[in-house]
Amino acid sequence: MPVGTAASVKGIPQDTLEELGAQIILGNTYHLYLRPGVETVRKMGGLHGFMSWDRAILTDSGGFQVFSLSELRKLNEDGVTFRSHLDGSSHFFSPESAMAAQIGLGADIIMAFDECTEYPAERARVRESMELTARWAARSKDYFEEHKQEVPWGQASGVGRQEKQLPHHCFAPVRNDNDLRDSGRSTDRWATDGHRLAPGSTQSLFGIVQGGMDRELRKESAERTVEIGFPGYAIGGLSVGEPREATREMVEWTVEHLPANRPRYVMGVGTPEEIVEYASLGVDMMDCVLPTRAARHGLLFTSEGKISIKQARYAQDAGPLDPNCPCRVCQRYSRAYLRHLYASNEVLAQVLNTIHNLSFYLDTMQRVRHAISLGEESRFLSSVWSRPQT
Amino acid sequence: MPVGTAASVKGIPQDTLEELGAQIILGNTYHLYLRPGVETVRKMGGLHGFMSWDRAILTDSGGFQVFSLSELRKLNEDGVTFRSHLDGSSHFFSPESAMAAQIGLGADIIMAFDECTEYPAERARVRESMELTARWAARSKDYFEEHKQEVPWGQASGVGRQEKQLPHHCFAPVRNDNDLRDSGRSTDRWATDGHRLAPGSTQSLFGIVQGGMDRELRKESAERTVEIGFPGYAIGGLSVGEPREATREMVEWTVEHLPANRPRYVMGVGTPEEIVEYASLGVDMMDCVLPTRAARHGLLFTSEGKISIKQARYAQDAGPLDPNCPCRVCQRYSRAYLRHLYASNEVLAQVLNTIHNLSFYLDTMQRVRHAISLGEESRFLSSVWSRPQT
C-alpha cells in the first residue's frame, strides 16, 4: 500500500496512481486529524470524496505517530494526551476518539487504537504495553460497533464523480455547470464505488497484535486480539529499530497465530526483498514509506539492484533507469535526465522517481500474486534473492 | 510557451505537457549551460533527446539571465564575464559562445545574444545598449551561419524514441534490451520528428529588438535587426519594471516595424489579459514564468478571475477550481482539496496548480487562435476584458 500521509501520495496525482495499479492507499489519521481536520474530510464525504479516490483506503489509528511525532505525550489507561507537531496545541486520543476520527475520515479499513511498544524494552514493559493494547482493542471495537453507521459515505459532493465515465487519461468535455458546487449530494454518484454504496455498508475495523520481540507475548497478543474478533489483523510494533532477523522471526511466528482466512497485515515494512519474503510467509498486506521516501532522496529500486541516481556516473548515461521496467518513467527518460533533475533540485525528480519506485513495488507484488496463484512461491522467492543488490 | 528553465517545466512530466497541448516550451541557456552543461545535452542529441520532448523548443540567449542572476558580471564590446550563481565559477558569454551553446543545446528556435537594457535608463545609455545589441546580432548571425550544421540532431540515443509508437498514456510492453543504452545512435529514431530529420536541417535563429521605452530607438533597433535578416523577431527589454501601459505602447509600436510574415515574439509576458491583448496587436509568440511560478504560490487563473487557493474560504469548498475549465485538475479535484494540499506544503499542490494554470494559458491562446481564424479578435478581446478579476 503506497503511503499517502496527508491525503496525497507525495507528488503523485490520483490518476497516475490508478495507472500504476494501486488498489489501496494508506492515510495517516494523526496528520489528517490535525490538518485539514476530521470535520472537513467528513463534509466532503470522507477521504474518498475529499481526495477524489474511489479505490480502497486504509487509515492507521494515529497511535504510532502520536508516539513518534508529537511532543509532550502523556499516556494513561484512558488514552494519550499529546501536542501537535504543527502548532503545539494539546489533543487527546483514546480508543474511542481515534475510532471517531477514523469513522469521520471514512476509509474502507480502519485500525484499532494501539500502543506501539518501543524497542528495546524489558519484558515486563512489553507485557504491560501489550495488555494495554488488548484492552484498547476491545474498547475500539465497542465504540466502532456503536458508531459505525456514522461513516460519511454517500455524502460526497463536488468534483470528479463524473470522472469515472471517462478513461482518466482523457480530457472530459467542457462543462459549464456553475451549480455543481452547490448541489451534488445525490448518492447515485457513488454508483460504481462498490460496497460503499450498499445500504448500511460500513468500514472494516482491523485489530493490531503487539508483544515486542517476545514469542510468548506475541502469541498471547494474537490470541487475545482474535478472541475480540476482527475482520482482519495487523502485526504492529515491528520496524522500530530491531534487527531484520527479529522482524522476520516475529512475522513468521505471529502470522501462524492469526486466522489464514482473514487479511493479515504487517505494518511499516519493507524493502522489495522483505515484502516478497513476508508475502511468502502468509502476509497479505503491507505498507511502507520506503518507495516514496527513498524516491525523494534519489534512491531507486530496479531489477538490477538499487541505484542512487545522484551519482556522477549517470550524468551521461542514455539508458533507461531499469531496462526491464514498463513504467512510464523507464519508457521515456534516461538516467542522465533523471540525474540532472535530481542534481538541479527539480520537483520533477521527485515526481518521476516516485512513479518508478511505486511501479517497481506494485509490480513486485503483482508478480508475488501471480506466483502464489501458480503455487510457485518458493521458486519466485529464491529468484528474487539471487538478484544483484548494490 | 511554458517555461522549462532547466529542461523541465517545474513539476510537470512531459506527457502531461503533451496532453495539455503545449506545442513549444522554452529552456534557459544560462541555466542549462551551467547545469548539466552543453556537452552533456549535446551527447544526448540536444534538448529533445535529453528531456524526451519531440515537440518544439526555444532557448533564450542567456543574456537576460546573465544580467539578472549572476554576480560580478563585467561587460565589454566582446561579451560578458560573469560568475555562476551556483558555485561562483567564472564564465564568459559572447555572441559567438552563446550561439555555440545554443547550437549544442539544439533547440528548434534559438535567440541572438543581446543586452537587455535596464529600466529606467537615460536615452544615451539606451541608444548605446541598443547599438551593442545590433552589433551582437550581426555577430550572432555570422557565427550561426558558419556553425549551424553542428546541431546534434539525429544523434539521439537511449530511452523514449519508441514511445511515439504508443499513446503516451499507455504502458508500453516490457522490453529487455540491455543493449539499448549502448546502441541507439540510428537517426531513424527521429523518423516522426518532422523537420529535425530532414538532411541538413538546422535551427532557426531569431533576432531581438531592444531600445528601452523610446519609440525612435525601438524603430531603429527593429530596422537594423530586420536589415541583418532573421526568420523571426523578438521584442526584448520589456517586463523589466516599466508601467504596463509602457509595455503595451512599446509592443504595439515595435510590432509594426517588424515583418508580418515572420513570427513576432514578445519575451517575458504576461498575464492572461496581456497575452490576449498582445496577440490582438499582432504578436505570435510569448513566454512567461507567470502561470508556473504563480501556481507554486497558490495563485490560480480561472474564467472567474484569480484565486488565491491558500485562503481559508476554500477550506470546505467542494466545487471545482474553475467550473468552466476542462483540465484534469478541475474535472477531478475540489477547491477544498487543492487548498488542503497547499496549506500542507504537499508537492502535489504545485503539480496540480501548475497543470491548471498552464491549461488556462494554453486554452486562452487556443481561443485567441480560434478568434483570429474567425476574424473576431476585437470582439474576443472585449469579452476578455469584461471578466471579473479579483
Side-chain angles (χ1 to χ4, degrees):
Chain A
M1 296 181 286
V3 175
T5 296
S8 166
V9 176
K10 293 193 185 308
I12 309 300
Q14 272 70 307
D15 55 350
T16 302
L17 290 174
E18 289 166 349
E19 289 174 20
L20 285 168
Q23 300 172 323
I24 177 170
I25 60 176
L26 186 142
N28 290 121
T29 296
Y30 168 84
H31 289 279
L32 293 164
Y33 163 88
L34 292 177
R35 192 169 58 189
V38 174
E39 273 317 296
T40 291
V41 176
R42 182 202 300 278
K43 284 183 182 158
M44 308 295 291
L47 281 170
H48 294 92
F50 182 61
M51 65 184 291
S52 188
W53 176 258
D54 287 335
R55 300 187 186 177
I57 302 175
L58 180 150
T59 48
D60 63 2
S61 70
F64 178 77
Q65 291 184 318
V66 164
F67 296 121
S68 62
L69 286 181
S70 75
E71 297 170 33
L72 296 174
R73 61 188 160 80
K74 217 167 59 185
L75 179 143
N76 59 29
E77 181 67 29
D78 202 27
V80 189
T81 305
F82 61 96
R83 288 195 185 278
S84 160
H85 75 289
L86 295 175
D87 63 4
S89 55
S90 186
H91 301 269
F92 178 70
F93 268 0
S94 65
E96 293 76 19
S97 69
M99 289 305 102
Q102 288 188 85
I103 292 169
L105 295 175
D108 304 86
I109 299 172
I110 68 178
M111 303 302 298
F113 192 64
D114 66 327
E115 185 188 34
C116 180
T117 315
E118 69 279 4
Y119 176 87
E122 297 290 329
R123 188 162 201 260
R125 159 67 193 144
V126 177
R127 165 166 288 284
E128 178 188 55
S129 173
M130 180 273 283
E131 290 181 344
L132 180 66
T133 286
R135 292 190 297 274
W136 282 2
R139 284 168 55 190
S140 294
K141 184 177 177 183
D142 287 347
Y143 186 93
F144 176 72
E145 291 300 331
E146 270 177 51
H147 297 270
K148 61 187 181 186
Q149 299 299 340
E150 296 164 15
V151 66
W153 295 346
Q155 297 173 30
S157 59
V159 190
R161 298 273 70 81
Q162 299 100 322
E163 183 71 12
K164 281 187 299 291
Q165 297 163 17
L166 292 165
H168 284 102
H169 50 264
C170 295
F171 283 153
V174 179
R175 59 187 161 76
N176 199 347
D177 45 348
N178 278 293
D179 298 329
L180 187 60
R181 81 195 60 168
D182 302 319
S183 63
R185 294 266 163 195
S186 65
T187 52
D188 63 12
R189 295 194 164 184
W190 291 91
T192 58
D193 291 354
H195 73 94
R196 286 190 291 279
L197 182 65
S201 66
T202 59
Q203 302 166 285
S204 296
L205 171 63
F206 282 20
I208 302 179
V209 175
Q210 290 286 346
M213 306 304 150
D214 187 299
R215 285 189 172 220
E216 194 181 321
L217 295 177
R218 283 277 167 187
K219 178 170 182 285
E220 181 177 335
S221 180
E223 288 168 351
R224 291 173 71 163
T225 312
V226 171
E227 194 180 319
I228 297 167
F230 295 96
Y233 297 92
I235 303 174
L238 297 179
S239 268
V240 289
E242 77 280 9
R244 178 183 159 160
E245 187 44 47
T247 320
R248 187 195 186 285
E249 181 192 336
M250 286 303 114
V251 169
E252 182 169 22
W253 172 258
T254 309
V255 147
E256 288 176 17
H257 295 90
L258 295 172
N261 63 346
R262 293 281 182 267
R264 297 181 291 200
Y265 162 29
V266 178
M267 308 179 83
V269 295
T271 65
E273 298 78 23
E274 285 164 354
I275 65 174
V276 170
E277 182 176 18
Y278 300 152
S280 79
L281 298 174
V283 173
D284 303 293
M285 302 166 61
M286 288 164 274
D287 76 280
C288 197
V289 295
L290 186 55
T292 44
R293 182 174 291 165
R296 297 199 292 280
H297 293 96
L299 189 68
L300 300 165
F301 299 96
T302 81
S303 63
E304 301 174 334
K306 279 179 286 188
I307 283 182
S308 176
I309 199 65
K310 69 185 78 173
Q311 293 179 343
R313 61 195 283 202
Y314 302 120
Q316 298 188 354
D317 187 335
L321 178 56
D322 184 345
N324 300 310
C325 177
C327 87
R328 60 159 79 180
V329 177
C330 291
Q331 290 298 312
R332 180 155 195 169
Y333 304 104
S334 64
R335 290 174 172 182
Y337 184 61
L338 295 175
R339 195 263 174 182
H340 162 67
L341 292 178
Y342 190 88
S344 301
N345 298 312
E346 284 289 328
V347 167
L348 190 57
Q350 168 175 344
V351 174
L352 297 183
N353 290 349
T354 302
I355 289 173
H356 169 78
N357 271 359
L358 285 178
S359 175
F360 188 81
Y361 264 68
L362 293 165
D363 286 358
T364 297
M365 288 308 294
Q366 181 66 46
R367 294 205 311 279
V368 165
R369 287 193 290 274
H370 187 65
I372 289 171
S373 73
L374 296 175
E376 293 178 350
E377 299 97 312
S378 55
R379 189 155 65 85
F380 180 74
L381 187 61
S382 61
S383 78
V384 168
W385 284 116
S386 67
R387 273 189 205 156
Q389 290 292 324
T390 53
Chain B
M1 297 181 287
V3 175
T5 296
S8 166
V9 176
K10 292 193 186 307
I12 310 300
Q14 273 70 307
D15 56 349
T16 302
L17 291 174
E18 289 166 350
E19 287 173 20
L20 286 167
Q23 300 172 321
I24 175 171
I25 60 175
L26 186 141
N28 290 122
T29 297
Y30 169 83
H31 288 279
L32 294 164
Y33 163 87
L34 291 177
R35 193 170 58 191
V38 174
E39 274 316 295
T40 291
V41 176
R42 183 203 298 277
K43 284 183 182 159
M44 309 293 292
L47 280 170
H48 294 92
F50 181 60
M51 65 183 292
S52 188
W53 175 258
D54 285 335
R55 299 187 186 177
I57 302 176
L58 181 150
T59 48
D60 64 2
S61 70
F64 178 77
Q65 291 183 320
V66 164
F67 296 121
S68 62
L69 285 182
S70 75
E71 298 169 33
L72 295 174
R73 61 188 160 83
K74 217 168 60 185
L75 180 143
N76 60 28
E77 181 68 28
D78 201 29
V80 190
T81 304
F82 62 96
R83 287 195 184 279
S84 161
H85 74 289
L86 296 175
D87 63 4
S89 56
S90 185
H91 302 268
F92 177 70
F93 268 1
S94 65
E96 293 75 19
S97 69
M99 288 306 101
Q102 288 188 85
I103 291 170
L105 294 174
D108 303 86
I109 300 172
I110 68 177
M111 303 302 298
F113 191 65
D114 65 327
E115 185 187 33
C116 179
T117 315
E118 69 280 3
Y119 175 88
E122 298 291 328
R123 188 162 202 263
R125 158 68 191 144
V126 177
R127 166 167 284 287
E128 178 189 55
S129 172
M130 179 273 283
E131 291 180 343
L132 180 66
T133 286
R135 292 190 296 275
W136 282 2
R139 284 169 55 189
S140 294
K141 185 178 177 184
D142 287 347
Y143 186 93
F144 176 72
E145 291 299 333
E146 270 177 51
H147 296 270
K148 62 188 180 185
Q149 299 300 339
E150 295 164 15
V151 67
W153 295 347
Q155 295 172 30
S157 59
V159 191
R161 299 271 71 81
Q162 299 99 322
E163 183 70 15
K164 282 190 297 292
Q165 298 163 17
L166 291 165
H168 284 101
H169 50 266
C170 293
F171 283 153
V174 180
R175 59 188 159 77
N176 201 345
D177 45 348
N178 278 293
D179 298 329
L180 188 61
R181 83 197 58 171
D182 301 317
S183 64
R185 292 267 161 191
S186 66
T187 52
D188 64 12
R189 295 194 164 183
W190 289 93
T192 59
D193 291 354
H195 73 92
R196 285 190 292 279
L197 182 64
S201 65
T202 60
Q203 301 166 285
S204 295
L205 171 64
F206 281 21
I208 302 179
V209 175
Q210 291 286 344
M213 307 304 151
D214 186 299
R215 285 189 174 220
E216 194 180 319
L217 295 178
R218 283 277 168 188
K219 178 169 181 286
E220 181 178 336
S221 180
E223 289 168 350
R224 291 173 70 161
T225 312
V226 171
E227 196 180 319
I228 297 168
F230 294 96
Y233 297 92
I235 303 174
L238 298 179
S239 268
V240 289
E242 77 280 9
R244 177 182 160 159
E245 187 44 49
T247 320
R248 188 195 185 284
E249 182 191 336
M250 285 304 115
V251 169
E252 183 168 21
W253 171 258
T254 309
V255 148
E256 287 175 17
H257 294 89
L258 294 172
N261 63 346
R262 292 281 181 268
R264 297 182 290 200
Y265 162 30
V266 178
M267 306 180 85
V269 296
T271 66
E273 298 78 23
E274 285 164 354
I275 65 174
V276 171
E277 183 176 18
Y278 301 151
S280 79
L281 298 175
V283 172
D284 303 293
M285 302 164 62
M286 287 165 274
D287 75 281
C288 198
V289 294
L290 186 55
T292 43
R293 183 174 290 166
R296 296 198 293 278
H297 293 98
L299 189 68
L300 300 166
F301 298 97
T302 81
S303 63
E304 299 174 336
K306 278 180 287 188
I307 282 181
S308 175
I309 199 66
K310 69 185 77 173
Q311 292 178 344
R313 61 194 285 203
Y314 302 120
Q316 298 187 353
D317 186 335
L321 177 57
D322 184 346
N324 300 310
C325 177
C327 86
R328 60 159 80 180
V329 178
C330 291
Q331 290 298 313
R332 180 154 195 169
Y333 304 103
S334 65
R335 290 174 172 183
Y337 184 61
L338 295 175
R339 195 261 175 184
H340 163 68
L341 292 178
Y342 189 87
S344 301
N345 298 313
E346 283 290 327
V347 167
L348 190 58
Q350 168 176 343
V351 173
L352 297 182
N353 290 348
T354 302
I355 289 174
H356 169 78
N357 271 0
L358 285 179
S359 175
F360 188 81
Y361 264 69
L362 292 165
D363 285 358
T364 297
M365 289 308 294
Q366 180 67 45
R367 294 205 310 280
V368 165
R369 286 192 290 274
H370 187 65
I372 289 171
S373 73
L374 296 174
E376 292 178 352
E377 298 96 310
S378 55
R379 189 156 66 86
F380 179 74
L381 188 60
S382 61
S383 77
V384 167
W385 284 115
S386 66
R387 275 188 204 157
Q389 291 293 325
T390 53

